[in-house]
Amino acid sequence: MNFTPDPFLLFKRIRNVSLSLTLFVLIVVLVLFLGTSAICLVVTSKLSLEEAHRTTERTMFETRRMLDSKFDRIEYATRSAAMLTDDLITSDPKSGYKILRHLMQSCPDVKVCGILFREYYYPSMGKEYTPEMKVDPETGDYVPFDASPGFKYIDVDENWIFSSQGENYWSNAYADRFHEGKKLICFSTPMYDRKGELVGVLCSAIGLDWLYDLVESIKPDENSHYAIINDVDQFICASYPGLVDAPSAKELVMAAEDTTYRVLWTKMMNGETGYITFEDTDNDFVQYMPFQRCGWRLAFSYPFESIVARGKILARRLAMIFMLSFLLIALILFAGILAIVKPFSKKLEKATREQAGTESELRIAANIQQEMIPSVFPAFPDHKELDIFAVLKPAKLVGGDIYDFFISNGKLFFCLGDVSGKSIPASIFMAMVKSLFRNVSHHRDDPGQIALEMNREIAPNNPNCMFCTFFVGVLDLSTGDLLFCNAGHNAPAAITASGEVKFIKVDVDTPIGAFEDSEYTTQHAEMNNRDILLLYTDGVTEAENDSKKLFGEKNLLNSLSSRADSAHNVKGIVEKVIEDVHAHAGEAEQSDDITMLAIQYFKINQNNRI
Amino acid sequence: MTTEVREIDGVLTAFLNGRLDTFSSQQCREDLEPLFANAGKKLVLDCANLEFISSSGLRVFVELVKKVGEEHGELSLQNLNDDVHNIFVIAGFAKRFNI
């Protein structure tokens, strides 16, 4: 026997199933999480980009607001001071310093201020007279001084040109000789006397250093760059040191390799509002906006790296959350499944052992059953007058069909039967029938008597009313005389030497085991030379195919006919029937035991025997 | 396979319906318990709708007819179709039952 049951196989399978289930759930979680993370990252980077644009825009509005506020203060102080002209300006050329002091006191933002008097306002001071005042950077005192020598402004200075015509005017940036050469911008407003005649132009200049502090404090990202240029292409303020000293922005953008700078510059100079992305380099974007009050254009860059960095932070956090969740889920699943499986595993193990044991025992029983029936063919090589062949194919491991034969005193005793029911009960009953057949036929050679005695043994102690349809025969090998008894079994088929195929007409008695008082009759037939007798169980004729159609007696006769030729022999005929039954059943499961016993008789002249 | 037991004119009658084979014989045996309990009386098995009977099914009939014999009751099988009747004949039971 090759069958070695592994009692732990089922248990192992269950564990494998738990493991597979855990892995499956974890993979699903992994996929879901990766998918969610990817969506999160995409959405976040989109939101981050939008947020960066909004922040930058807010920064520019804030810059403009603060510039406005500063410029308002200066304009207000300057224009207020100019209104004091009539009160403070006297025939004394130094009277102008009173206004300048007043102006500086009212607005500390002003670093330098001065009055450009109209031509020959003080004839003693010449054509152009410019009293100015500045703050001593060390003492903080106001220092008045005469800036007139060498300073020509009539028809030259932009503040003079516009404000002498009555305008309030913000100048371009210029380097002032009295302000350490640093860049200044200057607001100017006209001064009138009570007659409404122009006295001069009052100028307030402020440096640009404060712009850096302002922009640095509110720039959208710590790595943002910025630049403010005015409408005559001067740099007012730039985050790159040295850029402010460049003569013009245009020269720089024309020299740059990335043409995006040129597009940006053009749009800024056109006074447009918008943003541009530097795709060639690192996806930084620059947002720009005009500050119309003094013709400035603001530009702030936003580094793409910062947006990516935000995504990276999110990705790191997601990864950490994921790792923790994953470990947690794995632990819970593992613990959960262990807790569920453990109580069952012991039962399963036991059940598996038992099942394996039962199956193993059933196989042993099947082997014993097979050993009980003669299965070596040719069975009687020394008896030339006889050829015999049989098969028994149980539907389950063990079955209730039986055949047997032996030769005693020149006679062949044979039987074939079918126990009611299937599997183990039928197989036990079958063993009993087979054993009784041997016992009884050792002292009886009349089939009716054999059946009768067997029935008397079995029937009285048979509470379940099991029975066995049984055909028993005794063939005299020297004469071919056949005595038989049919206890409820199918009529056997015969194939004569001439090829005729038929069912033998037989009387039917009650199956063995059913009733204690059954009577059995012995019938007689004669076998001629080369005649074949075929006994079979209803597993042959009632073999079903998938559509429940039976093989039937007609098909059986056809099978036999196809082999009923001059060369017919028992093995060939039985195998042909088996082949045809299988062809009929197809894929359908074998529902009943299939058993056949074929006997061919050869009449040998006694005189010729050795 | 269904088995219905009714009392008709004082006669306990079982109506068998379907295929009485190995799988259904156990159930049929249980369903026929009223007949087994009254084996000394007059019983009828109505087989008009019995399509098939296997050897396991025959066993139930044999058990019943033996019980009836022991208790001197009376069992008759009625309305058998040709196939089922043939099974009784082939199996040698025809003469044991009052068909």
Side-chain angles (χ1 to χ4, degrees):
Chain A
M1 281 214 302
N2 296 325
F3 184 72
T4 42
D6 179 359
F8 297 102
L9 191 64
L10 190 60
F11 181 56
K12 280 178 188 163
R13 277 188 198 143
I14 292 290
R15 273 183 46 171
N16 286 345
V17 166
S18 334
L19 200 65
S20 312
L21 189 69
T22 313
L23 279 177
F24 176 73
V25 173
L26 287 181
I27 286 168
V28 168
V29 169
L30 182 71
V31 169
L32 282 178
F33 211 97
L34 287 181
T36 316
S37 303
I39 292 167
C40 272
L41 281 177
V42 169
V43 170
T44 308
S45 56
K46 192 165 172 276
L47 288 177
S48 295
L49 190 64
E50 286 171 7
E51 176 62 20
H53 279 297
R54 273 198 301 275
T55 308
T56 313
E57 196 173 74
R58 248 194 335 268
T59 304
M60 288 197 293
F61 280 121
E62 181 67 6
T63 309
R64 289 211 308 200
R65 196 186 62 75
M66 290 171 85
L67 286 175
D68 267 332
S69 142
K70 180 135 186 153
F71 282 33
D72 281 347
R73 283 201 302 278
I74 290 161
E75 285 190 21
Y76 180 77
T78 310
R79 290 168 70 183
S80 301
M83 286 178 196
L84 300 172
T85 304
D86 215 44
D87 299 330
L88 296 179
I89 296 298
T90 61
S91 54
D92 179 7
K94 288 192 183 333
S95 63
Y97 290 121
K98 288 181 186 168
I99 288 186
L100 295 178
R101 181 177 295 274
H102 183 86
L103 169 58
M104 294 198 86
Q105 278 170 344
S106 66
C107 184
D109 290 329
V110 177
K111 299 301 174 197
V112 185
C113 57
I115 299 169
L116 311 176
F117 280 103
R118 72 159 197 257
E119 283 170 288
Y120 301 109
Y121 187 79
Y122 293 110
S124 60
M125 302 309 289
K127 184 185 178 187
E128 290 155 304
Y129 171 55
T130 316
E132 292 197 8
M133 185 169 280
K134 64 178 181 180
V135 182
D136 187 308
E138 284 170 15
T139 61
D141 293 340
Y142 301 122
V143 183
F145 63 98
D146 185 358
S148 314
F151 181 37
K152 303 290 179 207
Y153 54 84
I154 307 289
D155 297 335
V156 176
D157 185 85
E158 53 180 320
N159 287 103
W160 170 262
I161 291 169
F162 290 103
S163 291
S164 62
Q165 296 302 314
E167 283 184 34
N168 294 311
Y169 177 74
W170 279 97
S171 77
N172 293 322
Y174 62 94
D176 187 80
R177 51 195 169 131
F178 301 111
H179 194 63
E180 297 157 357
K182 286 187 180 170
K183 276 193 175 172
L184 298 171
I185 54 168
C186 183
F187 175 73
S188 54
T189 189
M191 299 163 72
Y192 299 106
D193 59 18
R194 71 164 59 107
K195 290 175 217 156
E197 285 186 17
L198 184 75
V199 173
V201 169
L202 181 59
C203 298
S204 297
I206 52 171
L208 295 172
D209 295 346
W210 56 273
L211 256 177
Y212 289 94
D213 297 336
L214 173 93
V215 177
E216 280 289 340
S217 70
I218 63 169
K219 65 182 181 180
D221 184 84
E222 61 173 334
N223 294 319
S224 282
H225 283 290
Y226 50 86
I228 300 174
I229 55 176
N230 64 14
D231 46 10
V232 293
D233 202 21
Q234 287 178 310
F235 274 104
I236 303 297
C237 165
S239 53
Y240 288 106
L243 214 56
V244 270
D245 299 324
S248 87
K250 187 178 181 179
E251 271 181 36
L252 287 174
V253 300
M254 289 305 171
E257 264 184 48
D258 190 346
T259 52
T260 317
Y261 284 106
R262 274 175 242 176
V263 179
L264 170 65
W265 179 81
T266 310
K267 285 175 181 289
M268 284 172 73
M269 291 310 281
N270 288 343
E272 291 177 27
T273 299
Y275 72 90
I276 194 163
T277 304
F278 284 74
E279 283 162 3
D280 285 359
T281 51
D282 35 16
N283 276 324
D284 293 357
F285 68 84
V286 172
Q287 226 155 316
Y288 46 86
M289 191 182 272
F291 177 57
Q292 293 296 4
R293 187 166 190 164
C294 51
W296 289 2
R297 285 89 172 86
L298 317 177
F300 283 92
S301 78
Y302 198 100
F304 189 71
E305 191 55 41
S306 295
I307 298 166
V308 173
R310 249 179 262 176
K312 278 181 183 167
I313 290 167
L314 181 76
R316 268 199 296 274
R317 282 183 190 165
L318 279 175
M320 249 164 77
I321 292 167
F322 171 67
M323 290 288 283
L324 288 174
S325 321
F326 199 76
L327 280 174
L328 204 66
I329 289 167
L331 265 172
I332 291 169
L333 268 180
F334 192 70
I337 287 172
L338 262 188
I340 293 165
V341 164
K342 223 170 182 178
F344 287 110
S345 63
K346 283 216 155 86
K347 285 183 194 168
L348 272 170
E349 197 183 320
K350 191 162 170 265
T352 312
R353 272 180 205 278
E354 281 171 4
Q355 195 194 338
T358 309
E359 206 166 301
S360 164
E361 284 161 11
L362 215 52
R363 277 175 196 278
I364 294 168
N367 274 19
I368 292 171
Q369 202 177 26
Q370 284 290 338
E371 292 298 315
M372 282 170 71
I373 54 175
S375 56
V376 178
F377 300 103
F380 307 110
D382 296 339
H383 286 270
K384 302 297 178 198
E385 64 273 42
L386 178 69
D387 194 6
I388 194 163
F389 189 77
V391 291
L392 194 161
K393 296 167 85 73
K396 296 183 177 171
L397 273 177
V398 292
D401 276 10
I402 179 191
Y403 71 81
D404 193 18
F405 54 79
F406 63 91
I407 291 177
S408 175
N409 295 328
K411 289 175 178 171
L412 173 74
F413 291 74
F414 62 94
C415 70
L416 184 138
D418 180 0
V419 177
S420 62
K422 289 190 178 73
S423 198
I424 298 170
S427 74
I428 294 169
F429 200 86
M430 169 263 181
M432 184 169 66
V433 169
K434 138 94 194 181
S435 159
L436 262 177
F437 169 68
R438 287 271 172 149
N439 284 346
V440 174
S441 52
H442 271 131
H443 59 267
R444 297 271 182 213
D445 59 1
D446 178 74
Q449 284 294 316
I450 293 172
L452 185 72
E453 280 198 29
M454 285 173 71
N455 184 57
R456 279 187 185 158
E457 275 300 315
I458 297 170
N461 306 305
N462 187 10
N464 288 315
C465 291
M466 288 188 79
F467 58 83
C468 178
T469 66
F470 199 66
F471 188 99
V472 52
V474 178
L475 174 67
D476 189 323
L477 295 177
S478 57
T479 63
D481 279 342
L482 172 66
L483 298 178
F484 62 89
C485 173
N486 183 14
H489 201 77
N490 314 47
I495 305 153
T496 65
S498 60
E500 191 194 347
V501 175
K502 63 184 179 187
F503 289 111
I504 296 179
K505 283 200 160 59
V506 291
D507 293 334
V508 187
D509 296 322
T510 329
I512 290 188
F515 302 99
E516 291 168 44
D517 57 352
S518 294
E519 290 179 357
Y520 295 93
T521 53
T522 300
Q523 299 166 65
H524 176 260
E526 192 163 335
M527 287 188 81
N528 295 314
N529 187 33
R530 299 188 66 240
D531 280 358
I532 291 178
L533 182 70
L534 178 77
L535 306 181
Y536 61 93
T537 56
D538 56 9
V540 175
T541 46
E542 290 174 12
E544 289 180 345
N545 62 11
D546 273 334
S547 47
K548 300 282 173 200
K549 191 172 181 293
L550 304 182
F551 182 67
E553 290 169 352
K554 200 177 163 198
N555 278 334
L556 176 60
L557 288 185
N558 287 342
S559 288
L560 298 177
S561 298
S562 70
R563 284 296 159 98
D565 50 29
S566 56
H568 66 230
N569 64 78
V570 286
K571 189 165 187 277
I573 278 175
V574 168
E575 284 174 350
K576 169 66 176 163
V577 175
I578 294 277
E579 185 189 319
D580 288 352
V581 166
H582 280 171
H584 170 78
E587 296 294 311
E589 200 186 342
Q590 184 187 336
S591 59
D592 199 1
D593 306 342
I594 293 174
T595 305
M596 276 184 275
L597 171 65
I599 298 162
Q600 185 169 28
Y601 176 67
F602 299 95
K603 196 157 206 163
I604 292 170
N605 192 326
Q606 289 284 341
N607 300 335
N608 291 349
R609 294 186 86 182
I610 299 166
Chain B
M1 168 79 203
T2 57
T3 308
E4 190 192 346
V5 178
R6 271 185 286 172
E7 195 172 332
I8 298 170
D9 300 332
V11 179
L12 216 49
T13 305
F15 294 87
L16 304 171
N17 205 327
R19 292 171 61 88
L20 179 51
D21 55 22
T22 311
F23 305 106
S24 55
S25 60
Q26 187 67 30
Q27 184 60 46
C28 178
R29 170 67 184 77
E30 286 169 22
D31 294 340
L32 288 177
E33 192 51 44
L35 276 69
F36 279 91
N38 295 289
K41 297 178 184 167
K42 192 174 179 187
L43 305 172
V44 170
L45 289 174
D46 189 307
C47 303
N49 292 314
L50 184 63
E51 295 162 18
F52 171 80
I53 185 162
S54 76
S55 58
S56 300
L58 285 171
R59 216 165 70 207
V60 177
F61 280 32
V62 168
E63 198 180 343
L64 183 59
V65 81
K66 281 171 82 173
K67 188 96 187 294
V68 168
E70 282 165 20
E71 300 189 11
H72 308 293
E74 204 179 304
L75 173 69
S76 63
L77 275 54
Q78 295 179 355
N79 304 323
L80 278 72
N81 71 28
D82 289 348
D83 289 343
V84 173
H85 188 262
N86 202 29
I87 292 170
F88 274 83
V89 173
I90 288 172
F93 281 130
K95 49 194 166 193
R96 281 288 176 173
F97 288 90
N98 177 17
I99 299 176

